[in-house]
Amino acid sequence: MFVDKTKIYVKGGDGGDGIVSFRREKYVPMGGPAGGDGGRGGNVIFRVDEGLRTLVDFRYQKHFKAPRGDKGRNKSQHGANAEDMIVRVPPGTVVVDDDTQEIIADLTRQGQEVIIAKGGRGGRGNIRFATAANPAPELAEHGEEGEERWVVLELKVMADVGLVGFPSVGKSTLLSVVSSAKPKIGAYHFTTITPNLGVVEVGDGRSFVMADLPGLIEGAHTGIGLGHEFLRHVERTRIIVHVVDMAGTEGRDPFEDWVKINEELELYNEKLAERPQIVAANKMDMPEAEEQLAIFKEKVRDKTSRDIDVVPISSLTKMGVQELLYKAMDMLEQLPEAPEVEEVAEVEERKIYRFDKKAQSQSEFTIRRENEMFVVESEAIEGMLKRLQMNSHDAILKFARTLRKMGVDEELRKRGATDGTIIRIGEFEFEFVEGSSYY
Ligand SMILES: Nc1nc2c(ncn2[C@@H]2O[C@H](COP(=O)(O)OP(=O)(O)OP(=O)(O)O)[C@@H](O)[C@H]2O)c(=O)[nH]1
Ligand SMILES: [Mg+2]
């Protein structure tokens, strides 16, 4: 089991701004408010796509921003809502908030969808602010900002392809040239003692996971040379790439090697004899390999009724490697059922945490002094300042009322604010007005 991990940025679209507008009709001198609300920003939604097996796509694209909502229009028309952005992820993807390390989603079923970053609400237009006391308000809201966060995607993967063969035939070398994995490579036997996994990008957008397994030897099925340990891993792979040393290094006979390994596989588990297999005839850069290959192919044809693909390659020069990858990928796609992801059942039970930043500290504020100035910090007020378009008398009035309702005014007064004292909230500065007749 191997965990592929990547961190990406998601942002929901901002809501469209509400607008200030008034009805203008013939013969109606004083039209009422007619500024419509802005549209909702798009959500960023993750959707499970069984066709995906890895997270490689996220290595290239790491920022996902949904579009913003349209502005409100006059004649009381609502701005259009933005479309959601759909991001496809492979089954088995766990989404973790990078800040809090909480699990946001656990995506397992085909088609399952979760909103990862919400789009902002549209701002209200001035029709919404009309009251008996102020029937023609010059007041509208900005659209709410879309939710943004960094999330870590985690995917537990099983190997699709297992590399098997005698020691030193070049399994690790092959994995190292087709993936970013860095397995140990050595001219001595059993260089590899635990499996290495790598994500292989085929080059046409498709990808799969390849495991470089420790070398097998005769008697492996009885446990010799940690055989059981290694064969257990082979059992879990969907196809086998059987690496054979065509140079016959150390006086080996490629065909005999191939037969022996197949016997070991079958003796360990009969099913392994039927597992789809491709032969990677490796070390073709060596002088004697060509001749050996011809003999090998002939013997394989005689020996088995199975149609075994023999692909000549050199992991050293990379000759034939691309072709081998395409063959493996095509074969994987033709396999009938989707691979079983063992851990899914267990993962599904895991609790999913959701958190709502907005729920916290809605009405809290703090006041501190900076020389002659008071600085008010409050999520709620700062949010409101962002929302409201502070360019009209009505907007300022609404803002002032909120400060009073929350008790900010009173607190400022207690701390010694008087007429003309400068108050700063967020990026907004204004003078304190004692006993204002505004409200
Ligand atoms: N000439 C040549 N040498 C190769 C090729 N592929 C691998 N080798 C060499 O073969 C030796 C063994 O390579 P490894 O990749 O470690 O072999 P392995 O199959 O992983 O071996 P174990 O982990 O011990 O089972 C190294 O010295 C490699 O440089 C090839 O295509 N051509
Ligand atoms: Mg190795």
Side-chain angles (χ1 to χ4, degrees):
M1 194 57 76
F2 150 92
V3 181
D4 200 5
K5 234 183 181 184
T6 187
K7 192 160 97 176
I8 63 171
Y9 170 83
V10 287
K11 181 177 184 308
D14 296 337
D17 294 343
I19 62 160
V20 172
S21 137
F22 295 95
R23 269 205 308 272
R24 301 206 194 290
E25 288 165 37
K26 267 187 194 166
Y27 316 117
V28 183
M30 286 278 287
D37 300 347
R40 183 179 63 73
N43 299 310
V44 178
I45 295 178
F46 285 9
R47 178 189 293 162
V48 176
D49 181 341
E50 268 174 7
L52 297 176
R53 297 276 302 132
T54 66
L55 297 173
V56 279
D57 293 347
F58 297 102
R59 233 184 272 156
Y60 307 107
Q61 195 186 352
K62 289 189 175 293
H63 288 80
F64 296 86
K65 290 186 188 173
R68 65 172 307 154
D70 279 353
K71 263 193 185 164
R73 303 197 212 131
N74 46 31
K75 296 188 184 159
S76 312
Q77 289 183 81
H78 210 278
N81 291 339
E83 280 196 15
D84 292 335
M85 174 180 245
I86 306 288
V87 179
R88 297 179 315 133
V89 298
T93 303
V94 176
V95 186
V96 179
D97 184 285
D98 189 46
D99 244 7
T100 61
Q101 294 302 308
E102 279 171 309
I103 296 173
I104 303 165
D106 195 343
L107 296 156
T108 52
R109 283 174 287 109
Q110 166 71 1
Q112 189 183 351
E113 288 187 352
V114 173
I115 296 176
I116 301 297
K118 266 200 221 128
R121 270 179 294 127
R124 287 176 292 176
N126 69 334
I127 40 167
R128 303 297 201 107
F129 294 99
T131 57
N134 187 0
E138 289 203 25
L139 179 65
E141 283 176 337
H142 285 298
E144 185 189 27
E145 280 174 22
E147 192 181 4
E148 62 178 324
R149 46 166 58 156
W150 281 87
V151 294
V152 176
L153 307 184
E154 279 181 16
L155 178 69
K156 289 200 177 118
V157 284
M158 309 288 295
D160 299 297
V161 175
L163 297 175
V164 304
F166 269 97
S168 301
V169 294
K171 300 179 294 297
S172 300
T173 311
L174 177 57
L175 182 76
S176 75
V177 300
V178 298
S179 75
S180 58
K182 304 218 167 3
K184 208 163 136 197
I185 292 164
Y188 50 93
H189 290 189
F190 296 113
T191 308
T192 306
I193 48 172
T194 55
N196 298 294
L197 282 99
V199 175
V200 178
E201 291 171 61
V202 179
D204 56 4
R206 297 180 296 171
S207 58
F208 61 83
V209 178
M210 186 185 258
D212 158 35
L213 303 169
L216 295 171
I217 48 173
E218 269 180 274
H221 76 277
T222 64
I224 292 178
L226 286 181
H228 280 167
E229 209 31 48
F230 305 166
L231 283 160
R232 202 164 44 80
H233 296 293
V234 184
E235 264 185 319
R236 296 200 194 166
T237 61
R238 297 164 72 207
I239 69 176
I240 290 170
V241 168
H242 192 154
V243 185
V244 180
D245 180 347
M246 277 302 141
T249 319
E250 301 173 27
R252 308 204 68 101
D253 176 66
F255 179 72
E256 267 173 37
D257 277 4
W258 182 71
V259 172
K260 276 183 195 147
I261 294 290
N262 281 336
E263 274 170 13
E264 293 300 326
L265 294 176
E266 188 170 357
L267 286 167
Y268 179 75
N269 180 346
E270 279 173 18
K271 283 196 191 128
L272 286 179
E274 286 138 39
R275 186 84 27 115
Q277 185 181 123
I278 302 173
V279 174
N282 195 28
K283 307 200 184 179
M284 290 304 295
D285 54 286
M286 300 284 278
E288 56 280 14
E290 205 62 55
E291 194 184 328
Q292 293 275 9
L293 176 69
I295 301 167
F296 178 82
K297 277 182 164 170
E298 202 170 305
K299 286 185 175 168
V300 169
R301 249 198 318 274
D302 293 346
K303 163 102 182 166
T304 174
S305 52
R306 280 180 77 188
D307 188 17
I308 302 266
D309 255 323
V310 179
V311 187
I313 65 164
S314 164
S315 301
L316 226 52
T317 67
K318 299 189 188 170
M319 184 277 287
V321 168
Q322 190 59 42
E323 194 194 335
L324 175 70
L325 299 184
Y326 279 127
K327 277 233 161 78
M329 187 77 238
D330 291 344
M331 198 179 251
L332 280 171
E333 286 190 341
Q334 277 160 25
L335 291 184
E337 82 273 34
E340 282 171 30
V341 184
E342 276 180 13
E343 248 76 346
V344 165
E346 176 192 316
V347 169
E348 227 153 11
E349 314 251 301
R350 209 152 16 139
K351 197 165 168 204
I352 297 188
Y353 300 90
R354 290 183 199 291
F355 65 103
D356 188 357
K357 275 188 209 149
K358 283 195 197 115
Q360 55 194 15
S361 65
Q362 260 305 328
S363 57
E364 286 170 22
F365 64 88
T366 60
I367 295 176
R368 72 189 151 81
R369 228 189 147 112
E370 259 180 31
N371 302 323
E372 292 303 298
M373 181 169 69
F374 286 100
V375 179
V376 178
E377 278 168 347
S378 152
E379 259 187 50
I381 304 173
E382 284 167 40
M384 179 177 186
L385 273 172
K386 268 190 204 160
R387 247 181 355 256
L388 274 182
Q389 299 167 12
M390 297 296 288
N391 52 7
S392 71
H393 178 77
D394 286 335
I396 292 163
L397 204 66
K398 183 175 168 63
F399 174 61
R401 264 193 225 116
T402 305
L403 292 192
R404 190 190 51 175
K405 258 196 234 156
M406 284 177 65
V408 177
D409 266 24
E410 200 188 321
E411 193 59 33
L412 281 168
R413 201 171 296 118
K414 268 195 214 154
R415 303 262 191 123
T418 51
D419 255 352
T421 304
I422 304 289
I423 314 291
R424 178 155 66 78
I425 304 181
E427 283 162 15
F428 195 66
E429 279 182 20
F430 57 95
E431 286 182 17
F432 189 73
V433 184
E434 186 60 80
S436 165
S437 56
Y438 276 167
Y439 41 84

